Amino acid sequence: MNRRLITSALPYVNNIPHLGNLIQMLSADVFARFCRSRGYDTLYVCGTDEYGTATETRAIEEKKTPRELCDYYYKQHDEIYKWFDIAFDKFGRTSNQECTEITQSIFKDLDKNGYITEHTNKQLFCPKCNMYLADRFVEGTCPKCGYEDARGDQCDKCGSLLDPIELKAPRCHTCGSTPEVRETKHLYINLPAISGKLDDWMKKASIEGKWSDNAINITKAWIRDGLNERAITRDLKWGIPVPKEGYENKVFYVWFNAPIGYMSITKQFANELTAAGKKSFDWKSWWLPEESEEAKGKTPVDLFQFIGKDNIPFHTVVFPCSEIGSGHNWTKLFHMSSTEYLNYEDGKFSKSRGVGVFGTDAKDSGIKADAWRFYIFYNRPEKQDYQFTWKEFREKYNGELIGNLGNLVNRTLLFVTKYYDGIIPDSEVDEEMWANIRAHEDKITKSLEWADLKDAFHEIFAISDIGNKAFQDCEPWKTRTTDPKKAAKLIHNLCYMIKDLMIMAHPYMPQFTETIMSYFGKTISEPKLGESFTETGLSWKNLGETEGLYDVKNPSVYFTPLDVNTANAFREKFSGSQKARKEKEQKKSKKEPKKIELAENQIEFYNKNIELTVAKITKVDTNPEGEKLYVETLDDGSGQERVIQSALRDYLSTDELLGKHIILASNLAPRVMRGIESRGMLLAVHYKDSEGKNCVEPLEAPWAKPGTKVILEGADADFKKPDSITADEFFKVALKIEDGCLSVCGTKMTAEGKNIRSVHAQNGDVQ
């Protein structure tokens, strides 16, 4: 098994990353986690790309030095990637001494070997700013597609790589004035002189590494059309100095040194381990194995790189040419996993323009990190661009993640705790089911070996479908009494199916899967570089095993559904640019009160907005499309029937609900659940019985007539409240059982003057 060196596109440090940027880091993370679980010696490095005009221009805008800007945004990036649980071996920075040393060394080798040329060329100069304008200091009209906001190095609309001098109607990014053309000297890498060796390498590498069609086609097009010499210096102050006489006031072009950042971050990682007294390694054993004593006797290195389609030529042409031209046998690209664009609603994600859902937005949304990871990989844009919409996010999240995989996990584990006292029933292996499972697992493994992440992920959900269908066909809620052996066999095998699903889904959704495995008393092991598999941890080698699980302890629901109103609210919240949203929030904050935090604010908000009403359950049915859902018909005192749904089928029978006078959130906005509209929600509290089982108790007011208002002590029962509120608004108030009474911040709630009391729970959150 060859060693696997994994890199993902280095994100620019000039802004917060959005979901489209995150695809590459997350994709490499999934692949690295798979490789570790599979037993490969794996190293995953990434870091912020900190030099270049993008940083200088942003620093000017924010009135910071480039170093101050980089320090600030590096911290922001680091926090976001940690929240998304990306398991880098090292997430570093390109503005380090190691990057300077290696970049200058490779340049000197290229120069010594005759691959560096000097040209006097025409460049835009801004008289007002008194400076030559490097690529991103210029904006103008794209000469190829007519886009009016093209940057000097690339057009965001058509993707064409540009020279600033080509732009029509150019303007200085800093001051907006029209620049003039002047002559200046720059250094170039002579790509045409290296193209023969590049072509030989590419023909072999693209076959052995199974490059994607778009990577091959783009690279062939560059070679077929004839490579041009490419400038590798810029008139900037923030960058790696050029070690050549006459170029003391210039720095290297960021795209020359950025890929070298992969090497430098590896070296930085090794140096840090050494300084900390930890087990270290020779960075050259990964990047220059022929020149490393440590690499002798070790398997070869396969370099897997994860990038967006706009970066393909830099990784298949420019960077390899630098490696080849240096004369050293650097580790070069083996397999490239590239993606198309993830677009946003009716436009494009844009970091520079602040359009889309950004990492900080995801953190603040209240939606779990693994829900975002799920959506990205379920819809990973591998063959064509993909359009993110909040409507589709909600549908996929509710339908596949919760309704498929989550449903299988929840119904199975709760069934074990409710009907088998938490002990997984001992039974025989269902060979027919496992033959089907193992066929899918083989496809998943083969797909992941070549980083076909989306196909593998969909196969995981295909296995989950098998489990859900088996659960429905067996009807264990019936057969546990009519045919106990059949029910036990199903539940036994489903527990091991879930174990396999969690191992395979762990690279994609590490937090969710680790939580589920903890209910089995197990962990998942994906050892990083220099670590070993843990004795109790499960890994890829444990797939297909049908022994070793014994019980299920205290399972709970991990993901909660996203309703239409909340999704629409997110769509509205994240519309426009970051700048426009910030200005809107600033105006809004001046007009609206602060978020509800203090007790008196929660009480006031409840009294003015939330309507709780006593209602009698007159009929209870099951939702045929939702295995956990009851459909309850209510008498709410209005004279018309009201229908709600509640996920209580694993806890209570229909007879235990029928006739109860429950507490209804009566002005909660309707939502469709599994094809049936639910107009409200009953209040309930979780508790454990004397045997430690998880139970649910609906809150009741048996003395009160349907339609009776439930109010805080001393409140006005006749106060007119809104006809409809969102789920977000409802959950702003923390309803609790405190000392057996329904309360808000210590103030008790009443119906017809009597306190609403729980029968079993003394304290807990009301849901």
Side-chain angles (χ1 to χ4, degrees), residues 56 60 124-127 129-134 137 174 235-236:
E56 278 203 23
I60 292 170
L124 296 177
F125 181 88
C126 179
C129 296
N130 192 31
M131 62 183 290
Y132 282 100
L133 301 181
F137 274 89
T174 304
D235 289 293
L236 296 170

Side-chain angles (χ1 to χ4, degrees), residues 24 100 105 141 284 311 339 445 464 532 615 639 736 763:
Q24 309 314 326
T100 297
S105 174
T141 301
K284 287 185 177 181
N311 289 338
T339 58
T445 303
S464 183
S532 302
K736 293 181 177 291
N763 294 283

Side-chain angles (χ1 to χ4, degrees), residues 585-601:
E585 283 297 316
Q586 288 173 343
K587 291 180 181 178
K588 188 177 179 182
S589 64
K590 294 178 181 178
K591 297 179 181 180
E592 296 184 358
K594 294 181 179 179
K595 290 182 179 179
I596 297 172
E597 295 173 351
L598 302 176
E600 55 266 31
N601 288 345

